[in-house]
Amino acid sequence: MNYVDGFAAAIPAANKEQYIQHARAAAQVFKEHGALRLVECWGDDVPEGVLTSFPKAVQCKEDEVVAFSWILWPSKEVRNSAMPKVMADPRLQQDTNPMPFDGKRLIYGGFQMVVDE
């Protein structure tokens, strides 16, 4: 079954276009290394919770927006093989394609798909 990497991050609202460009460049690299799809979403209805929420999880500031994304892989094995190559790719290095957000507040994880309907 397919495998998914999920991400959430706080992006300065003023950096939306930079973020989209950064994501498009990353999508190309991920797909070259076996990803089936990369989806980026810009928050427009992301409420702040009392105990937990996306904004709390990424320590979203007043001038930031929560972005949610995922990468679809054919399998965990393909993902595990590809990830070191993706991270080493010169097109994704900080000096060539800097992240337009605070990467220390990025949350991510790998997920086994259990329902796909």
Side-chain angles (χ1 to χ4, degrees):
M1 183 160 278
N2 291 346
Y3 194 77
V4 175
D5 280 319
F7 307 86
I11 314 298
N15 291 356
K16 183 178 182 180
E17 288 307 315
Q18 280 179 276
Y19 179 74
I20 291 169
Q21 291 173 8
H22 175 81
R24 284 191 171 131
Q28 181 179 353
V29 174
F30 278 102
K31 289 172 109 180
E32 286 175 13
H33 291 286
L36 301 173
R37 186 173 182 200
L38 186 142
V39 177
E40 295 284 347
C41 305
W42 192 256
D44 74 347
D45 185 14
V46 186
E48 177 106 18
V50 175
L51 294 177
T52 62
S53 66
F54 278 111
K56 285 184 182 300
V58 297
Q59 301 174 4
C60 201
K61 298 176 183 170
E62 194 71 25
D63 63 338
E64 294 177 325
V65 174
V66 175
F68 178 72
S69 59
W70 67 91
I71 302 169
L72 180 64
W73 298 96
S75 67
K76 184 176 183 180
E77 293 74 29
V78 171
R79 178 265 214 161
N80 287 348
S81 173
M83 209 49 100
K85 299 170 195 164
V86 168
M87 293 299 121
D89 193 292
R91 294 169 290 178
L92 296 186
Q93 300 308 305
Q94 188 64 19
D95 57 336
T96 56
N97 188 15
M99 291 188 300
F101 59 93
D102 180 3
K104 292 183 288 248
R105 292 185 286 137
L106 170 74
I107 60 173
Y108 60 91
F111 300 86
Q112 295 178 347
M113 291 177 65
V114 294
V115 176
D116 183 14
E117 295 183 21

